[in-house]
Amino acid sequence: MLRITNEEKVAFWFVTPFVAGFALFYLLPTLYAFVISVLDYNSFKSLSDLHFTGLANYINVLKDPIALSSFGRSFLFMVCYVPGVIIAALLLSMLFNASFHLRTLARTLIMLPYVTNVVAIAIVFSILLNPYDGVVNKLLVAAGIAHPPLWLGGIHTSLPTIAGVEVWHSLAFPTIVYLAALQGVPKDLYESAELDGAGRFRKFMSVTLPLISPTTFFLVITNIIGSFQNYAIFRNLTNGGPGTSSRVISLNIYEEAFAYNKYSFASAQAILLFAIILVITIIQWRGQKKWVHY
């Protein structure tokens, strides 16, 4: 007979709030969205008027050029954002891991963007990156660049610019995680590498990177998921513009549901987004054996 120890009972009560929150705010809404996605639901219909539509909403999503282009822009944003935040966090954590004056103050300042409201960040960067009278372009013109980028106002530059702003905004958490991982690397491994004649670059490639690869794997997965779910920074910086150049799938789902009252169509997009994220996560999980060292 299976016996539950007192420690296991205590552990159960500790995880219960998280499990309840996950079920209430993630699992049930996901199941609700799946049910809506196979109906013809909008807010003007009563329950008795609903009809089962099968995969019709999913087929309509795959035929809709705006929805497909929104998926493509979300993927492009992920390609720009994830490598940027991973590389920047790694470099910054290595800097903070070294000894220098005011290191504690610098570690504290890195948290400021993370705790700053997204709306405030959007207002500040909209002013700084204004293509006509923004500070950034005035400095570039003063430096001799006659035609500086349009940043948020250009159809080819809006998405990479938002990715850059989001890298700056969310840099604190991966930096702290990387810093903890770097401080867990045994010093004797570096000393052994030095005895073998390894320089800084060789020690970084052969000791640091392999030992922090589980952290890198964790950050890559969580940031890829977060990049597809990102909504607030797009809403407040460009609202999908100019044109539809920064209309990612999260914005498209919101617009279809709450502006055009197409809840079933929007839910089908959300379920497809969930499936895409799940497939990408499974691929990464299977591929980790080739580069993650535990």
Side-chain angles (χ1 to χ4, degrees):
M1 182 179 178
L2 180 63
R3 299 186 61 181
I4 301 176
T5 65
N6 289 332
E7 289 184 349
E8 290 172 335
K9 290 179 181 177
V10 172
F12 172 79
W13 286 113
F14 269 109
V15 300
T16 297
F18 171 77
V19 173
F22 176 80
L24 183 62
F25 296 109
Y26 290 93
L27 184 58
L28 289 180
T30 303
L31 295 175
Y32 182 64
F34 177 75
V35 172
I36 290 179
S37 71
V38 294
L39 300 174
D40 57 345
Y41 176 72
N42 64 58
S43 61
F44 300 113
K45 283 190 173 183
S46 62
L47 290 176
S48 59
D49 294 331
L50 296 180
H51 298 93
F52 179 71
T53 59
L55 298 177
N57 288 313
Y58 293 92
I59 296 172
N60 290 336
V61 170
L62 297 177
K63 290 181 178 178
D64 188 86
I66 296 177
L68 292 179
S69 60
S70 299
F71 275 110
R73 288 189 203 97
S74 290
F75 186 79
L76 181 60
F77 174 76
M78 182 267 289
V79 171
C80 296
Y81 166 73
V82 175
V85 74
I86 294 295
I87 294 172
L90 178 58
L91 294 176
L92 207 56
S93 63
M94 293 176 66
L95 173 66
F96 289 160
N97 198 36
S99 297
F100 60 92
H101 292 296
L102 302 177
R103 184 176 66 170
T104 303
L105 176 62
R107 287 180 176 181
T108 304
L109 291 177
I110 192 64
M111 290 299 298
L112 285 180
Y114 195 66
V115 297
T116 304
N117 186 278
V118 175
V119 177
I121 290 174
I123 293 173
V124 170
F125 275 95
S126 297
I127 295 172
L128 292 175
L129 298 175
N130 188 297
Y132 305 107
D133 57 0
V135 175
V136 175
N137 274 8
K138 284 184 177 179
L139 291 174
L140 292 177
V141 171
I145 300 176
H147 302 287
L150 295 176
W151 305 113
L152 298 169
I155 58 173
H156 299 299
T157 57
S158 59
L159 205 60
T161 302
I162 296 173
V165 174
E166 184 58 17
V167 167
W168 176 82
H169 174 221
S170 57
L171 193 57
F173 176 72
T175 300
I176 292 172
V177 175
Y178 262 137
L179 185 59
L182 288 173
Q183 292 179 346
V185 177
K187 298 292 186 296
D188 54 343
L189 291 180
Y190 289 121
E191 294 170 359
S192 299
E194 288 176 0
L195 291 176
D196 290 336
R200 287 187 175 182
F201 181 74
R202 175 52 60 189
K203 286 191 289 184
F204 174 74
M205 296 299 295
S206 301
V207 178
T208 305
L209 276 185
L211 290 181
I212 65 172
S213 58
T215 302
T216 303
F217 175 63
F218 164 74
L219 291 175
V220 168
I221 281 189
T222 54
N223 279 285
I224 285 178
I225 295 172
S227 70
F228 278 105
Q229 295 175 327
N230 213 317
Y231 168 80
I233 196 71
F234 288 95
R235 179 74 174 179
N236 290 287
L237 270 178
T238 61
N239 197 21
T244 58
S245 60
S246 61
R247 187 185 176 97
V248 292
I249 191 59
S250 56
L251 269 180
N252 204 54
I253 291 172
Y254 178 86
E255 293 286 337
E256 296 287 357
F258 300 107
Y260 306 128
N261 201 30
K262 298 163 65 176
Y263 288 98
S264 292
F265 187 69
S267 296
Q269 293 181 66
I271 295 299
L272 286 175
L273 177 61
F274 172 78
I276 291 172
I277 293 174
L278 180 63
V279 169
I280 292 175
T281 304
I282 291 174
I283 292 173
Q284 290 180 89
W285 195 265
R286 291 183 178 275
Q288 64 162 319
K289 297 176 183 176
K290 297 182 179 179
W291 65 277
V292 179
H293 304 274
Y294 291 102

